[in-house]
Amino acid sequence: MSRSGQMEHETLIEMSATTDGEDGNGPFFETNSNIDSDNPGISEIDKHHQSKDSVFFRDGLRRIDFVLSYTDDPNKETDKKKAERRKEFESNLIKTGLELETEDKKESESGKIYFIKIHAPWDVLSTYAEVLGIKVPIKENDIDPPRENPLDCLLKPFKLPNHVMYPEPDYFTAAFSKQKQELFLINDQNTFFSPATRNRIVYYILSRCPYGTEEGKKKFGIKRLQNNGTYTSAYPLHDCQYWKKAKEELCHSERFTLYSQWAKFARFYKEQPLDLIRKYYGEKIGIYFAWLGYYTEMLFYAAVVGFFCFLYGWITMDDNLGSKEICSPDIGGQIIMCPLCDKTCEFWKLNTTCEPSRYSHMFDNVATLFFAIFMGIWVTLFLEFWKRRQARLEYEWDLVDFEEEQQQLQLRPEYEVKCTQKRKNPVTQEMEPYLPITSKAARFCFSGATVLFWISLIIASMIAVIVYRLAVYAAFASIMENNDALRPVSSLLTPQLATSVTASCLNFIIIMILNFLYERVAIWITDMEIPRTHLEYENRLTMKMFLFQFVNYYSSCFYVAFFKGKFVGYPAEYTYMFNVWRNEECDPAGCLIELTTQLTIVMAGKQIWGNIQEAIVPYILNWWGSRKARNNPEDLYSRWEQDYDLQTFGPLGLFYEYLEMVIQFGFITLFVASFPLAPLLALLNNILEIRVDSWKLTTQFRRPIASKAHSIGVWQEILNGMAVLSVVTNAFIVAFTSDMIPRLVYFYAYTENMDSRMSGYINSSLSFFDVVDFSNDSMPIENEMNITTCRYRDYRYPPDHGRKYLHTMQYWHILAAKMAFIIIMEHVVFVVKFFVAWLIPDVPSEVKARIKREKYLTQKILHEYELCKWQEKLREKSNCAEVAKQVFASKGKVQLSAAM
């Protein structure tokens, strides 16, 4: 066996082995390589003869695949310990075959930072490419491209150049095998593996390389070394400066292409170069931008329909008979309403709410029902068509055979370190670390209790906001009724609206504060659970964060939509919270306008704050961090220092991006019946979001470590759950929050004017109350107009009726109509949803055919290769019988492949 073959054999074996007594530490793969063994004298080259703005070693040939940095003070005892760890760690890296080159701290801008540049030679890359099952080209794709769409000429202004959209030819691929290298299209070993694949392989080695034994336990992994301060950072390099191309011919300047063609806001109307994003950043980031782009594209249709629904409400606003009656001096001006709060508030006239009632019609009209049903179907189409788009990407990006279960074999280093017990894996028959069930149960119980505590904290804060609304509502009502200075705006700024706006702003501030605190708590308790794999870690953190943010962001909207104004009581027997604060009443025109206000403030505020955090904060931090280097000559400001000064896009970077978009998805689906313009706001935000995310990734953050993903993961299930819930919430909003059902019941059953069926609706929706029936706690202090009877919003018998203040039959008819509407709407939308989901296959037939074609050709090529090898051995006439048997078997495989 050759030396390289022996090294590969040892590496592959040691990958699945765990040495006893190492506290479950990850495997360390020993390979042999001498740094600069083939390039003597490199270290003596004058660094200033070559520009330091380079992605190559000093010889200009070996590519820098990864960079480590650290600071060192030999006089400190702690730094001596760190130096020992670094020495051991770097020695072990060299043993794996990696090549290292150190930049002294004297060469750095600050004069304090050492940089270690890491290069992975072909031997290491080919070994670990096989270990990780990386797919590489074996044959150029011979399948005819899909037919051109006749409408493509109309879309030409939105297209990018072909060399940007398709940076590489389309190939059939197969998992790399070091023993079958001649099978693959290897033109140049230095460029065969993309920089993203190279940094993924190097990070795989770094995360599993040991650095010594402490407290009787073997320690390993670059992440732990960063946590204890041995290294200050570890990152792959961008290939050039984002505003201009690199000078080296071997560098493709993909960062510059991404910036000029994708990250500039002026390109907002252009398609995204998804293949180039995937090539530069990896599949995981590529799939996020593919999903975000598709979501934004589908939002366009929802935004158009929502805008026309809003336009319908705006056009018909002046024709709404209900608001006309409220605004009329002869009707609304003659209706005296009961006080809005106890004692200090006065009686008021209904026409003081004229303007809010007119604006409420823009969102509370027949188009609301149509739009709620439309969005129930839209969300199904979006999710189903995304599955098809995702299946196409899986094929195009060689992820068809990639299963998340493969990641189950790759344990988190933290799991391997913290789990001290071992047991045999029934699949691999190898000893591996595990967490005892008792410890797991205790950790889950503590984690669950912590999550429940924080959710209880959210509910407590929401109750505090409700108390604020109740307390301030009375104050606003009293001030606005008696303050002449506010009379000019009294038609627009009612006590209800003032309370709603200020409470919404306060609620938004509380949401942001709780989010800031809980993010850290969620990460801490997820770490405490010790998840087994990275996939398991992300899924657990996702569920914790989403559950918290779901309650945090939506609780106030649920309160306004389903609780406010529903449990008020009536003037003789009001309902009080904690027996102190009287529950809020809705505006005579309904609570929908307040839900719209709440939704707008929270949704818009979150999007504005999110863009500030994502764009402005990193820009300021980078500007401040690199302020000294801006005056240096460009060739002395090294590429590794430029990237060191950028912000870190951590392993949870995409998690926060997904979370932000999924919360937005909830706003435009769960409560869209109250605000048809929500999809339009989301569309405008997402157009900006795509460019902000691309800009910050390309210009403000270090290059992320490439990683694979064939889907958006657990977020898909969360979106499916929210899609189902949205049908229920919108049905309840139309039934209980809007005034549509009461108006329809009046129109068909209670109208007294057949020529104008809605005439008299406002009077019908208000009940009479005799002021002598007020309790002592509710009786107004002042009654200058000597009011004897006032009106309130409810369906109750008048004081002179035998069933005084009990609900009328109209109330029960309306309630029955609401329940019937909910049942009918839910069933209709669910039937349509499930029919559409059944009708649309998850994988396009064309993609299925291409997958089968590629599998067939790949198997045929591999089997023919094996047949040729065995035929060569047969010619050598050694062990003829056994070789002939293998030749016969290989021919059978080729025939079977052709038959399939």
Side-chain angles (χ1 to χ4, degrees):
M1 181 181 290
S2 66
R3 180 181 175 187
S4 62
Q6 182 181 3
M7 180 195 70
E8 178 196 0
H9 177 70
E10 290 175 353
T11 302
L12 291 173
I13 290 176
E14 291 179 26
M15 273 210 56
S16 58
T18 308
T19 307
D20 292 339
E22 293 180 352
D23 187 31
N25 290 305
F28 166 60
F29 323 128
E30 290 196 6
T31 59
N32 299 308
S33 176
N34 295 321
I35 189 168
D36 294 340
S37 59
D38 299 326
N39 301 279
I42 286 178
S43 57
E44 287 81 16
I45 294 177
D46 185 355
K47 286 175 279 188
H48 296 291
H49 289 173
Q50 179 195 9
S51 171
K52 295 179 73 176
D53 184 23
S54 171
V55 293
F56 294 94
F57 273 21
R58 299 183 196 121
D59 58 4
L61 300 175
R62 291 174 295 170
R63 188 181 189 94
I64 301 171
D65 297 313
F66 227 87
V67 173
L68 308 178
S69 66
Y70 66 91
T71 56
D72 187 27
D73 186 352
N75 298 322
K76 290 184 179 180
E77 187 63 32
T78 55
D79 280 10
K80 291 180 181 179
K81 185 67 175 178
K82 292 176 184 177
E84 293 175 5
R85 293 179 189 145
R86 281 193 297 269
K87 183 178 179 181
E88 179 71 15
F89 185 71
E90 291 164 19
S91 174
N92 289 333
L93 288 179
I94 293 173
K95 291 177 183 177
T96 65
L98 297 178
E99 298 175 2
L100 277 58
E101 186 176 75
T102 303
E103 291 287 332
D104 192 84
K105 64 180 180 181
K106 297 177 182 177
E107 300 294 329
S108 68
E109 176 60 35
S110 64
K112 300 176 182 179
I113 304 172
Y114 291 90
F115 291 96
I116 299 173
K117 299 172 287 184
I118 301 175
H119 168 75
W122 172 256
D123 211 25
V124 174
L125 293 172
S126 58
T127 299
Y128 287 95
E130 184 171 2
V131 167
L132 296 174
I134 293 173
K135 288 189 172 184
V136 293
I138 58 171
K139 186 181 187 302
E140 193 159 349
N141 194 333
D142 62 354
I143 299 177
D144 294 333
R147 297 178 182 177
E148 290 188 5
N149 189 335
L151 299 178
D152 279 350
C153 57
L154 301 177
L155 302 176
K156 193 172 182 181
F158 306 100
K159 300 285 185 181
L160 288 172
N162 277 339
H163 74 276
V164 177
M165 285 299 297
Y166 309 105
E168 292 178 327
D170 191 14
Y171 293 106
F172 292 134
T173 60
F176 185 81
S177 173
K178 194 172 182 181
Q179 299 298 333
K180 302 174 183 177
Q181 293 188 32
E182 57 269 30
L183 262 179
F184 306 105
L185 303 179
I186 305 176
N187 297 321
D188 184 353
Q189 291 184 350
N190 293 322
T191 58
F192 181 67
F193 294 108
S194 68
T197 302
R198 295 173 70 102
N199 76 56
R200 180 183 163 212
I201 290 173
V202 172
Y203 185 74
Y204 184 86
I205 299 172
L206 290 174
S207 63
R208 285 158 175 78
C209 183
Y211 59 83
T213 302
E214 297 177 9
E215 300 176 357
K217 297 179 181 180
K218 195 170 183 180
K219 305 292 184 181
F220 69 96
I222 186 61
K223 188 174 180 180
R224 181 175 287 272
L225 288 172
Q226 285 181 264
N227 290 339
N228 62 32
T230 303
Y231 290 100
T232 55
S233 61
Y235 54 94
L237 291 179
H238 283 294
D239 62 356
C240 67
Q241 294 171 328
Y242 67 85
W243 63 86
K244 68 174 185 177
K245 292 184 177 181
K247 296 177 181 178
E248 292 107 344
E249 295 181 359
L250 297 176
C251 186
H252 297 297
S253 300
E254 291 172 346
R255 186 190 188 191
F256 169 78
T257 304
L258 286 170
Y259 173 72
S260 58
Q261 300 290 340
W262 176 51
K264 288 185 175 180
F265 185 74
R267 318 286 288 186
F268 75 92
Y269 61 94
K270 295 284 189 179
E271 61 184 337
Q272 296 187 89
L274 294 177
D275 286 350
L276 185 58
I277 297 169
R278 172 244 182 171
K279 182 185 176 186
Y280 191 75
Y281 291 116
E283 288 81 2
K284 194 169 186 177
I285 290 178
I287 206 81
Y288 163 73
F289 280 104
W291 176 81
L292 180 57
Y294 193 77
Y295 171 45
T296 304
E297 180 183 333
M298 290 295 290
L299 272 177
F300 173 78
Y301 306 107
V304 169
V305 176
F307 176 75
F308 280 109
C309 289
F310 171 79
L311 198 62
Y312 169 82
W314 182 64
I315 292 172
T316 60
M317 184 170 62
D318 294 332
D319 299 329
N320 179 34
L321 194 56
S323 59
K324 282 184 177 180
E325 290 185 349
I326 292 176
C327 297
S328 170
D330 298 327
I331 301 176
Q334 301 301 316
I335 295 177
I336 305 299
M337 301 296 293
C338 295
L340 296 172
C341 61
D342 295 337
K343 293 188 176 181
T344 56
C345 293
E346 298 179 357
F347 297 96
W348 54 284
K349 292 183 178 181
L350 180 60
N351 64 353
T352 57
T353 62
C354 172
E355 292 302 319
S357 68
R358 293 180 70 245
Y359 294 133
S360 178
H361 176 74
M362 289 193 295
F363 306 104
D364 190 0
N365 53 69
V366 69
T368 300
L369 173 60
F370 165 77
F371 192 58
I373 296 174
F374 168 81
M375 287 301 293
I377 299 171
W378 173 89
V379 72
T380 303
L381 291 173
F382 162 62
L383 294 174
E384 291 303 316
F385 282 121
W386 164 246
K387 290 178 186 175
R388 291 170 62 84
R389 176 68 174 129
Q390 188 170 260
R392 192 178 296 278
L393 287 175
E394 284 183 36
Y395 167 72
E396 293 174 354
W397 291 357
D398 299 321
L399 299 169
V400 172
D401 296 325
F402 175 79
E403 296 292 341
E404 299 291 354
E405 285 76 11
Q406 293 177 3
Q407 298 184 12
Q408 301 297 329
L409 301 175
Q410 301 177 13
L411 303 180
R412 291 176 66 237
E414 295 84 354
Y415 179 85
E416 296 178 292
V417 168
K418 293 179 181 178
C419 295
T420 57
Q421 301 186 37
K422 296 185 180 182
R423 67 180 176 186
K424 183 179 288 187
N425 187 311
V427 178
T428 64
Q429 293 296 305
E430 301 289 344
M431 296 299 292
E432 66 177 18
Y434 84 103
L435 192 64
I437 188 67
T438 52
S439 176
K440 188 180 293 186
R443 293 170 186 273
F444 275 137
C445 289
F446 179 78
S447 174
T450 305
V451 172
L452 288 176
F453 168 78
W454 278 87
I455 290 178
S456 302
L457 193 61
I458 297 173
I459 295 173
S461 68
M462 186 188 71
I463 293 174
V465 173
I466 293 173
V467 169
Y468 165 83
R469 297 173 74 111
L470 300 178
V472 172
Y473 178 75
F476 276 133
S478 177
I479 292 171
M480 291 183 176
E481 287 176 358
N482 302 305
N483 195 329
D484 294 334
L486 296 176
R487 299 233 178 249
V489 296
S490 61
S491 60
L492 293 174
L493 191 63
T494 62
Q496 291 95 331
L497 185 60
T499 302
S500 181
V501 171
T502 56
S504 298
C505 294
L506 177 63
N507 183 62
F508 175 71
I509 294 171
I510 293 175
I511 286 172
M512 293 295 104
I513 294 173
L514 288 176
N515 271 350
F516 176 79
L517 297 175
Y518 182 75
E519 281 180 10
R520 286 142 185 82
V521 174
I523 293 172
W524 174 70
I525 58 178
T526 306
D527 288 337
M528 183 270 300
E529 290 176 8
I530 319 179
R532 188 172 183 270
T533 65
H534 292 286
L535 178 64
E536 192 176 326
Y537 180 91
E538 286 188 13
N539 288 347
R540 290 189 189 181
L541 181 61
T542 297
M543 294 310 298
K544 289 182 183 65
M545 285 295 296
F546 174 74
L547 180 62
F548 175 86
Q549 296 222 4
F550 183 91
V551 179
N552 197 19
Y553 278 107
Y554 303 143
S555 57
S556 58
C557 293
F558 272 101
Y559 164 73
V560 175
F562 306 124
F563 296 97
K564 183 180 177 183
K566 307 299 185 296
F567 309 100
V568 177
Y570 62 100
E573 194 176 334
Y574 282 122
T575 305
Y576 292 82
M577 176 179 279
F578 306 129
N579 294 321
V580 177
W581 294 284
R582 194 173 109 187
N583 285 354
E584 285 184 279
E585 298 180 45
C586 287
D587 190 275
C591 269
L592 200 69
I593 189 68
E594 294 187 50
L595 178 58
T596 303
T597 304
Q598 177 80 22
L599 185 66
T600 305
I601 290 175
V602 175
M603 182 179 175
K606 181 185 182 304
Q607 293 176 348
I608 293 170
W609 178 249
N611 286 324
I612 290 174
Q613 280 186 309
E614 291 182 14
I616 298 177
V617 172
Y619 177 81
I620 293 174
L621 292 175
N622 288 337
W623 175 85
W624 182 257
S626 61
R627 62 193 184 283
K628 293 182 180 179
R630 287 194 291 271
N631 298 322
N632 287 348
E634 190 175 283
D635 59 345
L636 297 183
Y637 188 27
S638 64
R639 161 80 9 233
W640 42 93
E641 284 186 279
Q642 293 175 42
D643 286 7
Y644 179 82
D645 289 335
L646 299 177
Q647 300 301 302
T648 303
F649 191 80
L652 296 179
L654 278 185
F655 166 81
Y656 293 113
E657 301 297 340
Y658 275 119
L659 184 62
E660 178 185 2
M661 289 295 103
V662 169
I663 294 297
Q664 181 204 83
F665 181 81
F667 281 125
I668 69 163
T669 54
L670 296 178
F671 308 102
V672 74
S674 68
F675 190 34
L677 290 181
L680 180 60
L681 288 181
L683 174 65
L684 297 176
N685 174 79
N686 286 8
I687 291 173
L688 178 63
E689 180 77 18
I690 290 174
R691 303 305 154 178
V692 167
D693 286 349
S694 58
W695 174 80
K696 73 178 184 182
L697 262 181
T698 309
T699 67
Q700 303 301 309
F701 283 84
R702 296 171 185 165
R703 186 173 185 169
I705 300 163
S707 57
K708 278 185 173 289
H710 77 305
S711 68
I712 61 175
V714 70
W715 298 109
Q716 182 78 37
E717 300 305 319
I718 291 175
L719 292 174
N720 289 334
M722 295 180 75
V724 173
L725 181 61
S726 68
V727 177
V728 180
T729 56
N730 283 302
F732 272 85
I733 287 172
V734 173
F736 285 97
T737 310
S738 80
D739 267 2
M740 181 175 298
I741 303 301
R743 287 198 298 262
L744 289 175
V745 170
Y746 180 83
F747 184 89
Y748 287 107
Y750 287 91
T751 183
E752 297 176 356
N753 185 347
M754 301 307 294
D755 296 328
S756 178
R757 301 183 70 96
M758 287 305 296
S759 177
Y761 167 71
I762 294 300
N763 187 59
S764 171
S765 66
L766 299 175
S767 299
F768 289 90
F769 181 77
D770 192 337
V771 297
V772 299
D773 293 328
F774 272 121
S775 65
N776 293 331
D777 294 330
S778 301
M779 178 67 76
I781 297 174
E782 297 181 3
N783 187 0
E784 296 178 355
M785 295 185 291
N786 295 318
I787 303 298
T788 59
T789 304
C790 63
R791 309 291 294 274
Y792 61 98
R793 196 170 188 262
D794 206 343
Y795 296 91
R796 294 177 183 269
Y797 288 109
D800 57 354
H801 195 275
R803 306 189 56 167
K804 179 180 178 180
Y805 301 141
L806 294 179
H807 284 119
T808 64
M809 284 305 297
Q810 186 176 355
Y811 169 83
W812 298 110
H813 288 161
I814 290 172
L815 181 61
K818 288 180 177 180
M819 301 307 297
F821 170 81
I822 290 171
I823 294 171
I824 293 171
M825 178 179 169
E826 286 182 359
H827 281 71
V828 168
V829 176
F830 278 135
V831 167
V832 174
K833 278 171 64 69
F834 291 129
F835 176 73
V836 169
W838 171 80
L839 192 64
I840 302 174
D842 291 348
V843 182
S845 56
E846 171 207 347
V847 173
K848 287 182 180 178
R850 286 171 173 264
I851 290 172
K852 289 179 180 178
R853 169 70 176 166
E854 180 165 347
K855 283 186 176 179
Y856 159 70
L857 288 178
T858 302
Q859 289 175 355
K860 184 179 178 182
I861 291 170
L862 291 173
H863 294 159
E864 288 178 348
Y865 172 80
E866 289 180 10
L867 180 61
C868 291
K869 284 294 184 183
W870 285 113
Q871 285 176 340
E872 288 178 6
K873 288 188 178 182
L874 186 61
R875 293 191 194 99
E876 295 174 3
K877 297 181 181 180
S878 58
N879 195 7
C880 294
E882 180 64 27
V883 173
K885 196 180 296 183
Q886 295 292 343
V887 170
F888 180 77
S890 295
K891 286 182 178 179
K893 290 179 181 177
V894 174
Q895 293 170 358
L896 178 62
S897 177
M900 291 173 63

